[in-house]
Amino acid sequence: MPAPAGAERLRTTGHFTYANWEERALGEDGTFPRLAHAAVTNTFAGGVEAAETTCEYTIVYMTEKTGTFTGMELLAGSVDGRRGTFVVEERGTFDDRGSVHCTFEVVPGSATGELAGLRGTGEFTAEHGSPSVPYTFAYDFG
């Protein structure tokens, strides 16, 4: 999303770790495509600081190891020192090597506290077996 005229687009980076992943299949095992639902808890560090986020994914498995997902994640903490909460909508894919690529966008109107008016987009790529996932986030305040 473009920043309004005169607004400075800020960029920050960091990493997150998975604290919990609870997934349940919504279809018969071994059939594809198959839906699943996952409740995930993440902890963010760096430009975005948020412990024990709340994240819900809907997953479409195209094969046993490939597919797409969408999700919503509630982050309570700070962005570059400004405190509040906000929600991001996530969309991504995963491949048979275990790589996950995701883009995310702040849900308009969801930011509170010192983050009120927050707008932004970001992305991450998670590699199978890596305990920490780097992210980038570009944002401004409307």
Side-chain angles (χ1 to χ4, degrees):
M1 84 184 74
E8 180 183 356
R9 190 76 163 168
L10 304 169
R11 295 190 181 281
T12 196
T13 61
H15 68 275
F16 68 90
T17 56
Y18 296 98
N20 189 40
W21 183 285
E22 295 178 18
E23 184 174 326
R24 66 178 168 78
L26 300 175
E28 190 175 324
D29 280 344
T31 62
F32 301 99
R34 184 179 76 238
L35 290 178
H37 177 264
V40 181
T41 304
N42 296 315
T43 297
F44 284 76
V48 176
E49 295 279 341
E52 298 183 1
T53 66
T54 301
C55 185
E56 299 287 328
Y57 289 117
T58 299
I59 304 163
V60 178
Y61 284 95
M62 302 308 288
T63 70
E64 192 65 39
K65 296 182 178 182
T66 64
T68 65
F69 62 91
T70 61
M72 294 285 190
E73 186 163 13
L74 173 64
L75 295 95
S78 65
V79 175
D80 288 336
R82 295 173 74 158
R83 300 201 55 74
T85 62
F86 63 102
V87 175
V88 293
E89 180 179 2
E90 302 178 9
R91 299 177 82 68
T93 61
F94 52 97
D95 64 29
D96 58 0
R97 295 178 323 238
S99 294
V100 176
H101 181 72
C102 179
T103 59
F104 57 89
E105 181 174 0
V106 174
V107 173
S110 69
T112 68
E114 295 173 343
L115 296 175
L118 177 69
R119 299 181 302 191
T121 59
E123 67 180 338
F124 65 82
T125 298
E127 299 298 337
H128 180 68
S130 178
S132 179
V133 179
Y135 66 82
T136 60
F137 182 48
Y139 66 95
D140 59 46
F141 293 90

